[in-house]
Structures are given as C-alpha cells and as structure tokens.
Amino acid sequence: MPQSKKMITALCLWCMLQSCTATPTEENGNSLTDYVITDTPLPGNQLPADSSIYQRKLQHMVHNRPGTKWPVVGNEPEQAGVLPYSRILAYYGNFYTPAMGVLGGPEAEMLTRLKAEAERWYRADTMMPVIPAIHYIAVTAQRNPGISGKYRLRMPPAQINKAINLATTNNMLLFLDVQVGLSTLQEELPPLETYLRRPDTHLGIDPEYAMKNKAIPCSSIGTFDAADINYAVSFLANIVRIYHLPPKILVVHRFTQAMLTNYKNIIRVPEVQIVINMDGFGSPAKKIDSYKGFVAAEPVQFTGFKLFYDVDPRTGKRIMEPEEVLALYPSPLYIQYQ
C-alpha cells in the first residue's frame, strides 16, 4: 500500500476510535438564543416550492457553470424543502462526551460558537441564507457487543428529547444520526420514526460504522450500498407522504470509495433530499481530493463538507476557511463541524 494511503487509513481509524472509546459525561446548562441568519421561515410552514428560485439556487451551487454531472436535475418537490434554498450549518456530536464532537461541550458556549459560525458562513455567501442545525448521534457504534450483540448503543429518549428541545427552542434544524454497527437500518430507523415525524427533524446515516463484514466497529471502515440508501429514502418518503410533511433531508457520510457502493442505483424522490457529506479530515489538499474523488465525481443530489475543530489542525495544520469550501464545485449546501 502506498505511504499516503497508509497514512489516510491510519487517520480514519484514529477518528473512528474517538467515537468508539468515548466516555459518557453529562453537561448541564440552558442558554438558548435565536440563531437563524435569515428571515426565511424554517421548513414545516407548508410553503409551496418556487421553481424559478429553485433553479436559480442550483445554478448558484455550481457557480453558474452547469456541466454534465452538476447540478443534478429532476425530482423537484412541490413543497419547499431546505435545499437548495438555504445552506445548513450543523454542529455534530453527542451530549455525553466532547470526544464525539462539539455538541458534547458546555451548551451555552456551543450555542454562542454556532451563532458565530453561522454568521461567518452567511457573510462568505450572502446569496444563501444560513440555517443552523444540530446533528445528534442517536445511535452510536460501540467496541463492545452490548446486550443486543449489535455493537451499537441507542440513546435514551431523554437525550433525544434534549436534542429536540435544544433545536426547537433555538429555531434550528435537527438531524438524528445512526451508526448501525452490526445492526441494520431496517432495525434502527423504525424506533426513530416518532421523532422523524417532526417537520424540522432529519436523518443522517454513517457507512463508516456499518459493519457488513461482521467486524467490530472501529477495527475497519464499514460500507453502505445503494440498497441501504434506498431503504432510508423510502422510509423517509413514506413518513413525508403519510404526515404531509415538507421534504426530509438524508445526510450520508463518506470519505472513501468503498463506503458507498453502486451510487448510480440510488433512487431520488421529491420527498427526500440526499446529501453526500465529505467526512474526511486532514490537510485542505487531502480534504479537497476526497471531495472531488468520492463526492463530486459520483453525483447523487446535493453535497456536504465536514470540518474538524481539533483533528484538522492536528493532522493538516489548519481548518479550511468558508471561502475555500464554498469555492468547491459544486458548492456544498450542508456544512458540518465536529
């Protein structure tokens, strides 16, 4: 294996260990403020889609240079969703520990920091309103099998309700993230349906911890196939249809080729907006290469980009600036900080 690939693999495994070795701790605090940077209403207000604005935003996403791959056209929803009308700025993690992301820190400090980041990204591209979000890991992969033997831990309802209250009180979007371990999406998504019926609650799924080879999570990098993505899409679309909701967003994390297979077979429906989120860390050059190679080169619908407050500077000298990320083709509409 070439030295550069060995290094990338080692870094990816190190990142996985941060999740799987996290030690639970509780943080209290309740400083709540409004962080929306625009007067655009949050989805859930049953707004009709505006086709002309929709197309204009898609063109802005590709810097007014449409090509053979981008923008991905078709499946325009009748009811307005978040994308491509606004950009999402999400903070990722779990409330039990800061080792899994920025959500594990003191709440007041986290909210203040999120507000500042949202303002920075809006200033970098004032054509795109910024909607803050919290991306909460509701099912975490574990290095121990647990009672279920599935090597995953479902968060208790009290913790998920804490995430809901935090998002609702601050007029933010909420994403519930799932790391299946040795379980499956078919087993892990139905218990979350009650929460996903909320118009402002969306879904994230992480192939990194989907261990189809039955290996222990964090010992290797997992994978999802298009069939797995299609199940999640169908699951969300059914909720949208039954409860007459605006389109749901599905975030799929990715930083290697094998993490997502048969991407051309992924179905797209008006009820679900799919974001392939570049989840790798390291130097700006490595992150851009991953984005170009595994996200932009295999178009699904929309794209995202993840930034690490601690790991990017440690492994790649610095965190990329908003202007650098927004210059990518296509410009990511979902930004995530861990």
Side-chain angles (χ1 to χ4, degrees):
M1 180 184 295
Q3 186 65 29
S4 61
K5 289 187 177 180
K6 288 182 179 179
M7 183 178 299
I8 292 173
T9 301
L11 291 174
C12 293
L13 292 175
W14 181 89
C15 184
M16 289 192 293
L17 288 172
Q18 302 311 299
S19 176
C20 293
T21 59
T23 302
T25 58
E26 284 278 13
E27 277 291 351
N28 296 318
N30 231 5
S31 177
L32 304 174
T33 318
D34 182 3
Y35 291 120
V36 175
I37 304 304
T38 171
D39 56 4
T40 301
L42 285 175
N45 295 308
Q46 308 297 315
L47 298 174
D50 186 315
S51 184
S52 62
I53 296 177
Y54 187 93
Q55 295 301 324
R56 193 184 318 143
K57 294 288 188 175
L58 288 183
Q59 294 302 311
H60 182 70
M61 183 183 75
V62 296
H63 311 291
N64 295 308
R65 291 184 287 109
T68 57
K69 291 185 175 182
W70 296 98
V72 177
V73 297
N75 300 293
E76 184 176 334
E78 294 182 4
Q79 188 175 329
V82 180
L83 306 174
Y85 299 98
S86 299
R87 178 168 283 114
I88 300 167
L89 193 285
Y91 267 13
Y92 171 94
N94 184 283
F95 299 132
Y96 281 131
T97 170
M100 295 180 70
V102 68
L103 290 184
E107 185 176 288
E109 179 182 323
M110 180 273 292
L111 289 172
T112 299
R113 197 176 191 184
L114 176 56
K115 178 177 187 278
E117 287 292 1
E119 290 172 344
R120 262 202 333 142
W121 283 84
Y122 179 64
R123 287 197 301 269
D125 181 8
T126 56
M127 288 288 292
M128 294 296 293
V130 174
I131 300 179
I134 60 173
H135 195 118
Y136 176 74
I137 310 171
V139 181
T140 67
Q142 302 288 303
R143 299 182 73 185
N144 298 314
I147 297 174
S148 68
K150 300 291 187 180
Y151 290 85
R152 59 92 176 101
L153 178 64
R154 294 172 176 170
M155 293 298 101
Q159 288 291 294
I160 298 179
N161 286 331
K162 178 180 177 179
I164 290 173
N165 291 336
L166 182 65
T168 301
T169 306
N170 291 279
N171 204 23
M172 299 187 294
L173 298 177
L174 171 65
F175 289 82
L176 298 179
D177 203 79
V178 175
Q179 303 172 354
V180 298
L182 270 64
S183 184
T184 63
L185 293 175
Q186 286 83 348
E187 185 175 349
E188 300 306 319
L189 295 191
L192 297 175
E193 179 178 344
T194 299
Y195 307 111
L196 291 167
R197 292 174 189 174
R198 300 174 55 86
D200 58 353
T201 301
H202 304 274
L203 180 66
I205 57 176
D206 200 339
E208 181 178 359
Y209 303 102
M211 314 311 295
K212 292 181 180 295
N213 60 1
K214 303 304 180 183
I216 296 174
C218 304
S219 65
S220 63
I221 299 171
T223 184
F224 275 143
D225 184 71
D228 300 296
I229 310 304
N230 290 343
Y231 170 77
V233 169
S234 298
F235 180 82
L236 291 174
N238 192 50
I239 293 175
V240 169
R241 295 185 193 111
I242 291 174
Y243 298 100
H244 307 288
L245 300 174
K248 291 290 182 184
I249 301 170
L250 174 64
V251 173
V252 183
H253 304 287
R254 188 180 194 184
F255 58 84
T256 71
Q257 190 79 29
M259 282 176 69
L260 179 57
T261 55
N262 298 310
Y263 82 95
K264 290 183 179 180
N265 295 333
I266 294 174
I267 60 173
R268 296 196 307 273
V269 298
E271 294 85 1
V272 181
Q273 302 184 312
I274 305 172
V275 174
I276 306 300
N277 183 43
M278 202 299 290
D279 197 16
F281 59 88
S283 68
K286 286 181 179 178
K287 293 170 75 77
I288 291 171
D289 283 347
S290 294
Y291 182 83
K292 290 180 176 179
F294 309 130
V295 178
E298 298 189 350
V300 177
Q301 190 172 18
F302 300 107
T303 67
F305 201 89
K306 190 170 189 176
L307 298 162
F308 294 79
Y309 279 124
D310 295 326
V311 187
D312 278 348
R314 193 180 309 167
T315 60
K317 305 298 184 184
R318 66 183 181 87
I319 301 176
M320 292 177 67
E321 295 295 327
E323 291 78 6
E324 295 176 276
V325 177
L326 296 179
L328 293 170
Y329 186 96
S331 183
L333 296 184
Y334 174 86
I335 306 298
Q336 185 181 87
Y337 279 91
Q338 180 169 334

